[in-house]
Amino acid sequence: DAKTTQPPSMDCAEGRAANLPCNHSTISGNEYVYWYRQIHSQGPQYIIHGLKNNETNEMASLIITEDRKSSTLILPHATLRDTAVYYCIVTDSGGSNYKLTFGKGTLLTVNP
Amino acid sequence: DAGVIQSPRHEVTEMGQEVTLRCKLISGHNSLFWYRQTMMRGLELLIYFNNNVPIDDSGMPEDRFSAKMPNASFSTLKIQPSEPRDSAVYFCASSLRQGQETQYFGPGTRLLVL
């Protein structure tokens, strides 16, 4: 009952922008889009989240389509250390029984 | 800020033995989550607590698994008796409050049951 769909893998050249897509066509009005990543052998790391507006922080930008059925995580200048599995998660913020459900994610490989 | 601390980082044990994994939350955080990660099943939520109270334990595989929060900053996950299929990486994570989805994960405990 995955709420999101992501490509299993992507490649990116070092220094270029990495654009990771996510489809969440069944998202409801009170659900946020969260992105986490997991570098090999480490725990997952929060990247960014948003509801309907585009968001930017020191790590990445999140672009959410107007209908909210899809989003794109952008790493503006990918480095080798950005090689990781990236998870797109849809969740009901503030819900009484919320939880993060991790799918298979996208393995991003940044090549030199 | 030391982040979420887990111990041990690695554990090798024999089938049938009791295993206890430990987690220290980030100071001031009130929600605690235990996850298990395997190649086959990915990252699964086992149980989570809010203010020391278990809220959802539907992910706990069976009665051999138990989790507690003896105080606001510490949690244990116990497996007794352990089985080879319990081999996995176990992560704990904490967040500031329930409904706060920004979770901060520990480095994980790699468990191997022989």
Side-chain angles (χ1 to χ4, degrees):
Chain A
D1 60 343
K3 290 185 175 182
T4 64
T5 304
Q6 299 178 252
S9 64
M10 293 182 66
D11 286 318
C12 177
E14 188 178 20
R16 303 297 292 270
N19 297 284
L20 291 89
C22 179
N23 288 322
H24 30 80
S25 58
T26 61
I27 192 170
S28 61
N30 59 345
E31 289 184 315
Y32 282 70
V33 180
Y34 272 74
W35 284 84
Y36 280 73
R37 74 178 182 183
Q38 187 173 22
I39 296 170
H40 182 61
S41 298
Q42 297 183 21
Q45 175 190 25
Y46 164 81
I47 301 173
I48 198 168
H49 74 280
L51 182 62
K52 54 184 177 181
N53 296 323
N54 297 338
E55 302 288 344
T56 295
N57 63 20
E58 65 279 4
M59 290 183 69
S61 294
L62 174 60
I63 308 299
I64 303 175
T65 58
E66 191 170 344
D67 64 6
R68 302 207 326 121
K69 293 183 183 299
S70 66
S71 60
T72 300
L73 178 74
I74 301 172
L75 307 179
H77 304 287
T79 70
L80 299 179
R81 287 174 293 182
D82 292 322
T83 292
V85 177
Y86 287 76
Y87 299 98
C88 171
I89 301 167
V90 166
T91 186
D92 180 6
S93 177
S96 61
N97 193 25
Y98 86 100
K99 50 189 173 183
L100 294 177
T101 301
F102 288 80
K104 296 186 183 300
T106 296
L107 172 60
L108 174 68
T109 302
V110 181
N111 300 305
Chain B
D1 182 0
V4 174
I5 299 172
Q6 292 188 245
S7 64
R9 296 292 309 276
H10 302 271
E11 178 81 22
V12 180
T13 190
E14 292 185 345
M15 182 174 62
Q17 297 297 306
E18 176 181 299
V19 175
T20 300
L21 311 181
R22 296 173 175 81
C23 175
K24 185 177 186 301
L25 285 69
I26 293 173
S27 177
H29 282 194
N30 294 316
S31 294
L32 181 280
F33 308 81
W34 281 103
Y35 292 85
R36 177 174 68 176
Q37 187 171 35
T38 62
M39 288 292 292
M40 291 294 293
R41 300 176 66 88
L43 194 61
E44 305 172 280
L45 177 66
L46 299 177
I47 185 171
Y48 79 89
F49 295 81
N50 190 55
N51 292 324
N52 303 1
V53 176
I55 302 299
D56 184 349
D57 65 354
S58 60
M60 295 287 264
E62 49 196 274
D63 292 345
R64 297 185 297 106
F65 285 68
S66 63
K68 294 181 180 180
M69 282 197 75
N71 59 56
S73 61
F74 183 74
S75 177
T76 60
L77 178 66
K78 185 175 294 186
I79 308 172
Q80 182 182 13
S82 58
E83 296 182 2
R85 59 186 168 135
D86 301 330
S87 298
V89 182
Y90 291 81
F91 292 102
C92 74
S94 71
S95 68
L96 195 57
R97 61 183 182 274
Q98 184 175 358
Q100 170 56 261
E101 283 80 6
T102 303
Q103 296 181 18
Y104 298 85
F105 284 75
T109 295
R110 280 169 169 65
L111 173 64
L112 177 61
V113 183
L114 302 173

